[in-house]
Amino acid sequence: EDKVVQSPLSLVVHEGDTVTLNCSYEVTNFRSLLWYKQEKKAPTFLFMLTSSGIEKKSGRLSSILDKKELSSILNITATQTGDSAIYLCAVHTDKLIFGTGTRLQVFP
Amino acid sequence: KAGVTQTPRYLIKTRGQQVTLSCSPISGHRSVSWYQQTPGQGLQFLFEYFSETQRNKGNFPGRFSGRQFSNSRSEMNVSTLELGDSALYLCASSLSRGVGELFFGEGSRLTVL
């Protein structure tokens, strides 16, 4: 059965810290891996990583896909309180399979 | 450009009733998928529709059904509601199937009493 696992489940840091969120997967027919941020209701798209694009960066956020290790990390540098959210990793096969998410809390 | 619109945003039902949720995708998007989100299980795939046809289905009982109309709007129906159906139901749209990012709506929060 296809599976996506995220760690840690929860993370509490102070503003300015750097965090690394992990996502590992066991799926057949891997097409892409996506990261989403969910603050209140609707998850918002962060990155999509495929075999042809294994590293993405946007401002303080960056993500790397390791196809050999079947995993991805999401890095957030110089965290701010506005980064507090649930971060979701999802793998696209013939459908989108989500991990349970990592809840990040950033305190001033 | 308007985003994905879901209605109703909140609803309360009692066990045994049925419910219909609606989703209007972003204009031009032809693929609509539905997800159930609960604290314990996270986001779980319900089904995907493309060109009015169900293309894929998750591991949910037959009480969960859906459809898509010619204008790409989609509805999902849950019959004979159970307490465990209480969840946030999220709809997402994309231009096509299997590639690219999904754009999510705000969700419909269903509470079953």
Side-chain angles (χ1 to χ4, degrees):
Chain A
E1 184 182 337
D2 293 342
K3 188 169 58 173
V4 177
V5 178
Q6 292 185 248
S7 64
L9 290 179
S10 181
L11 198 51
V12 180
V13 300
H14 289 286
E15 272 192 319
D17 288 349
T18 293
V19 298
T20 298
L21 311 183
N22 300 284
C23 175
S24 63
Y25 58 91
E26 290 179 37
V27 302
T28 54
N29 193 23
F30 173 92
R31 294 182 185 176
S32 61
L33 185 145
L34 297 92
W35 285 96
Y36 283 86
K37 177 183 182 182
Q38 187 175 25
E39 294 177 82
K40 300 262 191 245
K41 294 284 175 64
T44 54
F45 173 79
L46 293 174
F47 297 116
M48 183 173 76
L49 301 153
T50 64
S51 300
S52 58
I54 61 172
E55 185 169 0
K56 293 284 178 73
K57 185 174 170 62
S58 176
R60 296 178 295 104
L61 278 66
S62 63
S63 183
I64 297 172
L65 175 67
D66 188 336
K67 286 214 73 181
K68 184 179 175 185
E69 297 296 327
L70 305 183
S71 65
S72 175
I73 60 170
L74 176 68
N75 279 320
I76 308 175
T77 60
T79 52
Q80 302 170 356
T81 55
D83 294 327
S84 296
I86 296 173
Y87 290 84
L88 297 164
C89 169
V91 173
H92 220 151
T93 59
D94 57 349
K95 55 182 180 272
L96 204 56
I97 303 164
F98 281 86
T100 51
T102 293
R103 180 179 293 277
L104 173 65
Q105 294 176 277
V106 182
F107 288 98
Chain B
K1 189 168 171 178
V4 178
T5 304
Q6 291 189 244
T7 57
R9 293 289 308 279
Y10 302 91
L11 64 166
I12 299 174
K13 294 284 187 179
T14 56
R15 279 180 298 176
Q17 287 187 308
Q18 75 162 13
V19 66
T20 298
L21 309 177
S22 179
C23 173
S24 293
I26 292 172
S27 178
H29 284 195
R30 296 170 61 197
S31 177
V32 173
S33 50
W34 289 88
Y35 296 83
Q36 182 195 66
Q37 187 173 32
T38 59
Q41 299 293 322
L43 266 153
Q44 291 189 288
F45 173 76
L46 280 157
F47 25 65
E48 178 197 5
Y49 286 87
F50 182 81
S51 293
E52 302 177 63
T53 302
Q54 187 180 91
R55 304 292 177 160
N56 214 334
K57 191 176 190 308
N59 296 324
F60 279 82
R63 300 185 296 108
F64 292 81
S65 63
R67 59 178 174 169
Q68 187 181 33
F69 302 95
S70 58
N71 62 357
S72 294
R73 190 178 71 84
S74 177
E75 289 182 346
M76 68 163 280
N77 184 277
V78 189
S79 61
T80 321
L81 284 166
E82 300 177 0
L83 296 178
D85 297 333
S86 295
L88 179 67
Y89 290 88
L90 289 162
C91 165
S93 76
S94 61
L95 275 170
S96 187
R97 297 194 61 222
V99 292
E101 61 179 290
L102 299 186
F103 294 84
F104 282 86
E106 294 281 300
S108 294
R109 170 76 63 186
L110 170 65
T111 301
V112 182
L113 302 176

